[in-house]
Amino acid sequence: MIRRTSLPLMAVLALFVCLHAEESLAQNAHTGMVSHGQYITAPSGTVNDWAIHLSPRDMGFEEPRSEKDNAFLKFECYVVQINQYTWQVVARYKMRPWEGEGLWHNGSANYLLVHK
């Protein structure tokens, strides 16, 4: 006996609800790309009115013909609330492209703000 899930039906229903929402989704969500150290400001209200998701965009680099000695040691990707309207982005990585100590480099991240 083949068991079928209702996942496709749920996906279609969710899409229908999104397309027929009373408010524009563009007003309730904002996206963008930021670099390490930059700021993201709440589009309206305060940071408490928004949920933020940050994901790595560009971390690390290639070192052609010398990749056997590279080491990607760590990456950090998060925001720090600066005040009631603004977050500061931490998007950096530590890499050792040669023998010795690793060095921190600035990276970039994608963000998604969704109104609560």
Side-chain angles (χ1 to χ4, degrees), residues 25-65:
L25 293 178
Q27 294 174 355
N28 294 323
H30 296 270
T31 64
M33 194 232 18
V34 288
S35 296
H36 175 74
Q38 287 186 320
Y39 298 94
I40 301 170
T41 302
S44 62
T46 68
V47 296
N48 294 328
D49 298 324
W50 295 86
I52 186 166
H53 174 76
L54 199 67
S55 63
R57 178 183 170 100
D58 188 15
M59 301 278 186
F61 57 87
E62 290 185 70
E63 189 182 26
R65 296 181 296 280

Side-chain angles (χ1 to χ4, degrees), residues 17-25 27-28:
V17 168
C18 289
L19 291 175
H20 289 47
E22 290 182 22
E23 294 182 6
S24 169
L25 293 178
Q27 294 174 355
N28 294 323

Side-chain angles (χ1 to χ4, degrees), residues 67-78:
E67 297 200 5
K68 291 182 181 178
D69 62 350
N70 288 357
F72 191 84
L73 303 172
K74 182 178 182 178
F75 77 90
E76 298 177 340
C77 191
Y78 58 91

